[in-house]
Amino acid sequence: MTTEFNELLPAPPEDAVQIWIIGSRDQVIHKMNEFHVRRLVPDRARFPLIPAPVPGKVMTVLVC
């Protein structure tokens, strides 16, 4: 993981659990919606899609 991605995280790694979702745009949005429906994530709008280090993929980081 690069320094740029560390700087995007809202909390230091030792303070919170992180769930990284990487895939196609549709896959990531579907999984975010699933987490929201299961009440694992209170507000899915807090987790923006960002380009992943893998070409053609996007990602989001859920900090619990």
Side-chain angles (χ1 to χ4, degrees), residues 15-44:
D15 290 344
V17 173
Q18 299 174 4
I19 301 171
W20 291 54
I21 304 172
I22 302 173
S24 70
R25 182 178 177 84
D26 291 337
Q27 290 172 325
V28 172
I29 290 172
H30 176 75
K31 194 55 69 176
M32 288 169 58
N33 288 338
E34 184 178 332
F35 284 178
H36 180 68
V37 167
R38 292 182 183 198
R39 298 181 191 259
L40 297 172
V41 178
D43 181 15
R44 79 168 200 88

